[in-house]
Amino acid sequence: MRIHLLLLCAALSPLAYADMPPKDTIKGAQDHPLLSRFAGSKLVGYEVKEFDEVVLPAGKRVASRGDDITFAKTVPLEGKYTRIAYNYPKDRSGLEVMRNYQAALDKAGLKTVFACAKNDCGDQFGEYWLKKHVGNNFIKDTTEYWEPFNHGRQTGRYLLAQGATANGMVLHVAVYTVEPVDGRNGAVYLQVVEGKPMETDKVSANLNAADMAKGIAADGKVAVYGVYFDTGKAELKPDSRPALAEMAKLLQQNPQLKVYIVGHTDNQGAIATNVELSQKRADAVVKALGADYKVDPKRLAAKGVASYAPVASNEAEAGREKNRRVELVQQ
């Protein structure tokens, strides 16, 4: 609908939107740390999602049924997803812009997975980007900055590159460019997918008392991940209450059980600081169980061991998250 309307308007006023934006149109938006913008470009569309699923074309467009778009090959991904749209000056070419992005990606160690230009990308390749990406209310402030993608849709160039960071994070970067057409500016649509682990502490699925009892019976200890502290602090956060209640229930149902409350951290920061912090956190749990849940303090002993007993590698955030825990260890 929006596309058809703009096409009709274009026939009536082909030079209506020729000026570059005076400045970036999205407040707070910024270039991705991996890639600077092409010189003179203005940012006109921006979105970041900390974790999402993304499908990037890795082959030419081969078929269409209605709004469905089929490609010879695609790459399904999950991770941090950034997408940015730019307008670039009309005295530059799409080829020059694409070559600059490709050179920057090569320099960063990313290898080209797929690249195409114009008709080699497949029939109606530009319509895919209009319908599924830049034309889907992504460029919100005004249609004039969206129009270069519309009028340049037959001139598109596309590049998909893949690489890895120093810590092993897999990166995919997709670059789509269109030429300046009818006196309008050119445009770039950039997608970056960083294959980082999903943050898994946003929805709590704490162990209940029965699960804790089974863990202690089998292993003499059980890890509890529902006890929360702010970074570098030892004050229990309110959303720790469900886990604390289940610990108290475990102890109430097993009156002979005595446990060490052991605090663990990851390896970020100085070890001496983390030993002190983990001890204070273990003390805070013991205090809360005694004061708020009437557990006899004689059945509890607090110990902080910092990062001396990891259950996963501390090289990546997913492992560090597993290492930040409280354990109940049978005395």
Side-chain angles (χ1 to χ4, degrees):
M1 294 179 291
R2 182 182 180 188
I3 295 168
H4 294 159
L5 177 60
L6 287 174
L7 287 173
L8 177 61
C9 293
L12 300 177
S13 54
L15 299 178
Y17 302 118
D19 293 336
M20 281 287 290
K23 59 182 180 179
D24 290 354
T25 66
I26 311 297
K27 185 177 181 180
Q30 58 187 346
D31 297 336
H32 192 278
L34 177 69
L35 288 171
S36 65
R37 69 187 69 187
F38 184 83
S41 298
K42 301 298 182 183
L43 190 153
V44 296
Y46 184 79
E47 183 181 54
V48 178
K49 294 185 177 180
E50 288 301 319
F51 192 85
D52 203 0
E53 56 183 356
V54 185
V55 178
L56 298 178
K60 66 186 295 184
R61 181 189 177 279
V62 295
S64 175
R65 290 184 179 180
D67 288 337
D68 293 336
I69 307 292
T70 303
F71 294 93
K73 185 178 180 181
T74 59
V75 180
L77 301 168
E78 291 184 346
K80 183 176 182 179
Y81 180 40
T82 303
R83 56 191 192 122
I84 307 173
Y86 298 100
N87 284 181
Y88 67 84
K90 57 188 174 182
D91 61 347
R92 301 293 189 170
S93 72
L95 176 62
E96 180 187 16
V97 172
M98 181 60 81
R99 289 287 185 265
N100 272 268
Y101 274 103
Q102 186 170 15
L105 291 168
D106 288 345
K107 186 175 181 180
L110 279 76
K111 302 301 181 183
T112 299
V113 175
F114 173 73
C116 65
K118 302 180 181 180
N119 292 337
D120 289 340
C121 295
D123 185 44
Q124 297 184 11
F125 191 71
E127 274 73 4
Y128 164 75
W129 300 103
L130 288 171
K131 293 179 180 179
K132 302 295 185 181
H133 292 273
V134 295
N136 190 24
N137 295 320
F138 178 55
I139 301 174
K140 299 180 176 65
D141 286 353
T142 176
T143 57
E144 66 184 279
Y145 307 134
W146 175 85
E147 279 214 329
F149 289 103
N150 180 18
H151 291 271
R153 68 193 183 284
Q154 303 298 333
T155 68
R157 297 177 184 272
Y158 177 74
L159 169 70
L160 176 63
Q162 176 183 330
T165 63
N167 64 1
M169 178 190 297
V170 178
L171 288 170
H172 285 82
V173 179
V175 184
Y176 172 68
T177 68
V178 298
E179 301 277 354
V181 173
D182 294 334
R184 291 173 173 81
N185 302 300
V188 177
Y189 180 62
L190 179 68
Q191 297 170 284
V192 182
V193 184
E194 305 169 47
K196 73 171 197 173
M198 179 178 63
E199 294 182 60
T200 56
D201 61 347
K202 299 307 180 184
V203 177
S204 178
N206 299 326
L207 294 175
N208 58 33
D211 294 328
M212 294 178 189
K214 290 177 183 177
I216 289 176
D219 303 317
K221 63 180 181 178
V222 64
V224 181
Y225 288 96
V227 181
Y228 302 110
F229 303 89
D230 285 325
T231 301
K233 296 184 178 180
E235 291 76 29
L236 284 160
K237 299 181 73 172
D239 48 0
S240 301
R241 292 187 186 116
L244 292 170
E246 291 300 320
M247 290 185 204
K249 186 176 178 181
L250 166 72
L251 292 162
Q252 291 161 359
Q253 292 176 345
N254 299 273
Q256 303 305 313
L257 178 64
K258 295 182 179 181
V259 295
Y260 298 105
I261 305 294
V262 184
H264 297 262
T265 69
D266 58 30
N267 70 344
Q268 304 300 290
I271 187 66
T273 300
N274 285 337
V275 168
E276 181 181 4
L277 178 64
S278 60
Q279 181 64 52
K280 288 181 177 179
R281 288 178 171 178
D283 288 336
V285 173
V286 169
K287 181 179 179 181
L289 289 173
D292 300 335
Y293 298 94
K294 310 306 178 186
V295 176
D296 184 353
K298 295 179 181 178
R299 300 173 61 193
L300 309 172
K303 185 66 177 178
V305 297
S307 57
Y308 285 119
V311 292
S313 169
N314 279 297
E315 292 301 310
E317 175 56 28
R320 293 193 292 270
E321 184 178 346
K322 290 181 180 179
N323 291 333
R324 298 190 294 267
R325 67 198 189 278
V326 169
E327 283 189 343
L328 305 183
V329 179
Q330 186 172 16
Q331 293 187 25

